[in-house]
Amino acid sequence: MTNPYLAEWTTEFNLPPFADLTDEDVKPAVEAALSEGRAAIKAIADNPETPTFANTIEALEKADATPSKVLGAFYGMAGADTNDTRDALMREFSPMLSAYSSEITANAALFQRIEALWQDRENLDLTDEQQRVLMLTRRSFVRSGAKLEGADKDRMAEIKSRLATLGTQFSQNLLADEREWFMELSEDDLEGLPQFVVDAARSAGEEKGAKGPVVTLSRSLITPFLQFSPRRDLREKAFRAWAARGENGNANDNREIAREILELREERAKLLGYENFAAYKLETEMAKTPEHVRDLLMRVWTPAKEAAERDAAILSKMMTEDGVNGELAPWDWRYYSEKRRKAEHDLDEAELKPYLQLDRMIEAAFTCANRLFGLEFEPLDVTTYHPDARAWNVTRNGKHMAVFIGDYFARGSKRSGAWCTAMRSQQKLEGDIRPIVLNVCNFAKPSKGEAALLSYDDARTLFHEFGHALHQMLSDVTYDSISGTSVARDFVELPSQLYEHWLEVPEVLEEFATHAETGAPMPRDMLERLLAAQTYDQGFATVEYVASALVDLEFHDGPAPKDPMKAQAEILAKIGMPKAITMRHATPHFAHIFSGDGYSSGYYSYMWSEVMDADAFEAFEETSPFDPVMAKRLEENILSKGGSEDAEALYTAFRGRMPGVEALLKGRGLVAAE
């Protein structure tokens, strides 16, 4: 019987046949796929014909077809719906996949063919896109150690294999800590909590098999609990558990893993001739150097810290007026900030949330995409990997553009956070291949029969991840390796953060922010207060983010710290971290930089992209939010281009110039608007 992972998929739009994919099929499928890939690579490397772009670079692009098909389906599911078997498989696959990658980049005959093409590139009559793919392919090989020899080459393979194993272990430890901890609540403990928090706690208790409501470490539950619970003792207990993920001295402790990862990254960079890992990593990003990153972060840090300290003084006074002795603590900030927001902006999250229904916010994201880019979304009646996941056929003028899958609710089998991934990327080398795009979030699941309600931050997250999805859906390139979000790390967040701005467009909220029970639109005065409060508490939000970005940068811009926790404390002390605010992601649960290399030395990327997204949306504001001419320029110069051109060239083609940091500071309310 043919392994369903390897069989030709005859499902609608060639979706993975999720109902047929079993965990027992995964390992033999991966082994067979890698064997097929190795054979294809050997055929390219051993080809006696003179190297050409077609028989070398395009052949390399095609060689990955079966591994991409199998791994795209498996990892898409495993991140959102794991179990013990899938966890074990991911641990087993990490070194296996690293070895496979190392074999390719260490193949001397293959690299010789690539190098020959590179040296003769001016005579090959390549298109601009082909020139770009050739450059990126060669650069990837060189940066992976293709020029290393002997013991250095062997050591590089060992380092990459070990890093892959450690990254998987870090992620699984974090998920285990999040999954295992919960705090049971009595009926008295629910006093003062809005009904939506009570409902979420009861739903979480059912999922955990508890006797009553619980607080878990899911952000969609713990954050509103910290905002609304008048019980300071319970807030402290919950916050300390949230802050201690990966740092509990148990089997899930990530501190030693983080130390080893940092040491191996430094060794990897030095083998390749770089001073440190940050210099290596940033060379290919828009920022180019650690100095440029530090300059941006510190230009934002100073006004953000000043704003946070002004806010802390106000919150401390409120706490004193409540008769609470002692200093403002991290478990107090959200509670008193919420009370202050209600007092100053007359915004009550409990009153606001019924107007932010999940289904209506999905509809809003779809409608904005339709008005901007002509996309239409039709629900698909297909089996997905989990009952909570929904699928849509995305079309434009009747042409199929993508399959979009949305998986929105938190559960114990799903890692925390929110993300976008492509189970299949767009490309045209082997036909008009359209993408399968997955958005995963962790919103609180409602009780049966109730509407799913979002906070405004949740709604912003939904729009953010959908912006990433649009980058995949609208991709229009020939080669998989530069498709969709395959761009510089500090450019990849531009489309996602830019799309968040459409949630703030008044006419969008007027149409889609409707009450879950009455269907009435959000009252105009509430809408105006909501939009007026967009810069509220940005000192806090910016400080917790920039602190994390600076710690990430300092970890990698110099010798690896022998004790990352001590180094973290020293870095925070040096910048004067406010006592009542913690890093958004402390080292033991900083999955962005330790679960893989993606954001390592690159967590700053969100802010680098925000400089551009603030400036880019100003282009729409200068005309109108749904200006078709500007939307077409955005698609043609950024969303459709993937990594086919340098990021700075793409942005300049759209906007005519690169932006400064001023628009970001104004957007966050950290400087007065002119």
Side-chain angles (χ1 to χ4, degrees):
M1 183 176 177
T2 304
N3 187 307
Y5 274 97
L6 299 170
E8 181 181 352
W9 294 345
T10 58
T11 50
E12 191 172 10
F13 304 114
N14 298 118
L15 284 167
F18 294 112
D20 299 330
L21 301 181
T22 70
D23 292 343
E24 290 71 26
D25 292 319
V26 180
K27 184 178 179 180
V30 169
E31 290 173 339
L34 296 187
S35 178
E36 182 179 321
R38 284 187 175 95
I41 295 298
K42 187 176 188 302
I44 299 168
D46 295 346
N47 189 342
E49 298 177 5
T50 301
T52 66
F53 189 83
N55 71 20
T56 303
I57 303 301
E58 290 188 341
L60 266 175
E61 294 272 337
K62 295 176 182 178
D64 200 35
T66 302
S68 292
K69 171 185 172 181
V70 174
L71 295 169
F74 172 68
Y75 278 99
M77 292 189 294
D81 188 32
T82 195
N83 54 40
D84 290 344
T85 300
R86 291 176 183 174
D87 281 349
L89 286 168
M90 285 190 284
R91 290 192 297 271
E92 186 175 357
F93 291 164
S94 291
M96 185 189 304
L97 296 175
S98 176
Y100 175 72
S101 175
S102 293
E103 286 174 29
I104 296 172
T105 54
N107 188 313
L110 178 60
F111 182 63
Q112 285 177 5
R113 295 180 68 85
I114 296 169
E115 187 68 13
L117 291 172
W118 176 250
Q119 295 302 328
D120 195 38
R121 61 190 180 280
E122 299 301 330
N123 302 314
L124 298 179
D125 194 27
L126 301 179
T127 66
D128 290 345
E129 185 176 336
Q130 289 171 331
Q131 288 272 14
R132 176 77 172 169
V133 171
L134 174 59
M135 184 278 289
L136 292 172
T137 302
R138 178 185 178 274
R139 188 176 75 179
S140 175
F141 270 68
V142 171
R143 287 170 58 81
S144 294
K147 290 188 173 183
L148 297 178
E149 297 179 351
D152 286 348
K153 176 175 284 192
D154 293 340
R155 179 57 182 157
M156 178 62 77
E158 292 172 0
I159 289 171
K160 289 196 286 187
S161 177
R162 181 61 178 161
L163 283 171
T165 297
L166 291 172
T168 299
Q169 189 177 347
F170 187 98
S171 181
Q172 292 187 355
N173 285 351
L174 177 56
L175 177 58
D177 258 8
E178 291 173 344
R179 185 169 52 213
E180 292 167 7
W181 187 92
F182 60 89
M183 179 175 70
E184 295 191 40
L185 301 175
S186 69
E187 291 301 313
D188 289 343
D189 296 336
L190 301 176
E191 186 176 345
L193 296 176
Q195 191 59 45
F196 76 86
V197 181
V198 173
D199 292 343
R202 293 194 192 283
S203 180
E206 292 173 7
E207 201 243 344
K208 293 294 184 185
K211 296 179 180 179
V214 304
V215 173
T216 69
L217 296 182
S218 169
R219 187 179 293 273
S220 62
L221 178 51
I222 195 167
T223 296
F225 182 81
L226 292 170
Q227 283 178 291
F228 293 106
S229 175
R231 289 280 302 276
R232 193 176 191 229
D233 58 331
L234 297 181
R235 295 201 311 267
E236 179 178 0
K237 183 178 179 181
F239 183 88
R240 287 190 182 279
W242 174 248
R245 291 168 295 151
E247 192 183 353
N248 289 302
N250 56 14
N252 305 325
D253 199 296
N254 276 331
R255 287 172 288 187
E256 177 59 24
I257 293 176
R259 183 201 61 76
E260 186 178 353
I261 286 174
L262 292 173
E263 287 188 353
L264 290 172
R265 285 177 178 164
E266 181 189 8
E267 184 181 356
R268 176 183 178 184
K270 288 186 172 179
L271 277 173
L272 294 169
Y274 295 87
E275 183 179 356
N276 55 55
F277 185 80
Y280 160 75
K281 187 67 183 293
L282 294 171
E283 179 185 49
T284 60
E285 308 299 336
M286 294 183 75
K288 303 302 181 189
T289 68
E291 291 72 28
H292 289 154
V293 173
R294 190 175 291 105
D295 177 66
L296 168 67
L297 293 175
M298 292 309 299
R299 289 182 68 186
V300 177
W301 173 260
T302 300
K305 180 186 172 188
E306 291 172 354
E309 288 174 338
R310 290 193 298 270
D311 291 339
I314 295 171
L315 301 184
S316 294
K317 183 179 179 183
M318 293 173 64
M319 193 171 81
T320 301
E321 291 171 351
D322 265 1
V324 179
N325 296 320
E327 294 185 342
L328 183 73
W331 47 88
D332 298 316
W333 191 291
R334 288 175 176 83
Y335 178 71
Y336 285 100
S337 180
E338 181 62 30
K339 292 180 73 170
R340 180 187 171 198
R341 184 174 78 143
K342 184 174 181 181
E344 293 185 3
H345 294 279
D346 195 20
L347 272 180
D348 185 339
E349 180 99 351
E351 294 179 8
L352 176 64
K353 207 160 184 176
Y355 290 97
L356 300 174
Q357 301 176 64
L358 171 61
D359 286 347
R360 293 292 277 156
M361 291 299 102
I362 294 172
E363 191 179 352
F366 287 176
T367 298
C368 290
N370 175 261
R371 293 183 64 181
L372 289 164
F373 310 114
L375 298 178
E376 297 182 339
F377 300 81
E378 182 70 25
L380 283 174
D381 185 14
V382 295
T383 300
T384 58
Y385 59 85
H386 190 278
D388 286 346
R390 296 181 267 174
W392 290 266
N393 176 26
V394 186
T395 61
R396 179 158 63 184
N397 299 324
K399 179 181 183 292
H400 172 67
M401 296 291 289
V403 171
F404 174 66
I405 300 174
D407 182 358
Y408 296 106
F409 296 127
R411 53 180 174 268
S413 62
K414 182 188 288 186
R415 63 181 171 89
S416 62
W419 64 94
C420 174
T421 189
M423 289 186 170
R424 181 177 69 224
S425 297
Q426 178 272 331
Q427 52 119 325
K428 292 185 284 190
L429 183 59
E430 299 186 270
D432 186 12
I433 308 299
R434 301 309 306 172
I436 300 171
V437 188
L438 174 62
N439 272 182
V440 184
C441 299
N442 271 280
F443 304 143
K445 188 172 184 178
S447 300
K448 191 172 183 179
E450 299 292 325
L453 305 179
L454 306 181
S455 67
Y456 193 74
D457 281 346
D458 287 340
R460 184 183 289 112
T461 296
L462 187 150
F463 268 68
H464 177 102
E465 298 306 333
F466 193 72
H468 282 308
L470 288 173
H471 204 177
Q472 298 277 13
M473 294 176 197
L474 294 172
S475 179
D476 186 23
V477 297
T478 301
Y479 301 99
D480 187 299
S481 62
I482 54 169
S483 177
T485 56
S486 298
V487 299
R489 180 61 61 178
D490 48 11
F491 190 65
V492 76
E493 297 297 338
L494 169 61
S496 56
Q497 293 178 181
L498 176 58
Y499 204 66
E500 293 178 30
H501 289 278
W502 273 276
L503 178 62
E504 302 169 4
V505 174
E507 63 187 278
V508 173
L509 288 171
E510 287 169 353
E511 181 175 358
F512 295 101
T514 56
H515 199 279
E517 295 181 3
T518 67
M522 182 182 291
R524 183 71 193 187
D525 66 323
M526 180 184 288
L527 187 151
E528 291 174 351
R529 284 183 274 117
L530 173 63
L531 295 178
Q534 288 311 293
T535 60
Y536 176 71
D537 214 17
Q538 277 300 307
F540 169 86
T542 307
V543 161
E544 65 165 7
Y545 165 79
V546 174
S548 295
L550 283 168
V551 167
D552 168 40
L553 180 65
E554 299 303 333
F555 273 175
H556 295 100
D557 185 26
K562 298 298 181 185
D563 183 346
M565 298 307 294
K566 180 182 177 184
Q568 173 185 292
E570 291 171 349
I571 294 164
L572 296 179
K574 182 178 178 180
I575 62 176
M577 184 74 171
K579 292 182 179 180
I581 306 178
T582 60
M583 293 168 62
R584 183 172 298 177
H585 305 290
T587 297
H589 56 260
F590 206 162
H592 279 80
I593 69 169
F594 289 115
S595 288
D597 270 359
Y599 283 90
S600 56
S601 197
Y603 191 61
Y604 77 92
S605 300
Y606 292 93
M607 187 145 284
W608 191 275
S609 293
E610 189 177 341
V611 171
M612 290 180 285
D613 83 64
D615 176 71
F617 194 68
E618 281 189 353
F620 283 90
E621 291 180 315
E622 289 164 4
T623 53
S624 74
F626 294 99
D627 178 9
V629 174
M630 196 60 63
K632 185 176 182 181
R633 285 181 60 183
L634 178 63
E635 179 180 350
E636 289 182 346
N637 292 300
I638 294 178
L639 297 178
S640 68
K641 292 290 189 180
S644 61
E645 295 180 37
D646 178 76
E648 187 167 329
L650 293 176
Y651 190 83
T652 302
F654 167 65
R655 194 68 166 111
R657 51 157 176 76
M658 288 299 293
V661 74
E662 294 75 22
L664 177 149
L665 294 174
K666 290 177 184 176
R668 286 186 172 236
L670 299 177
V671 295
E674 294 177 356

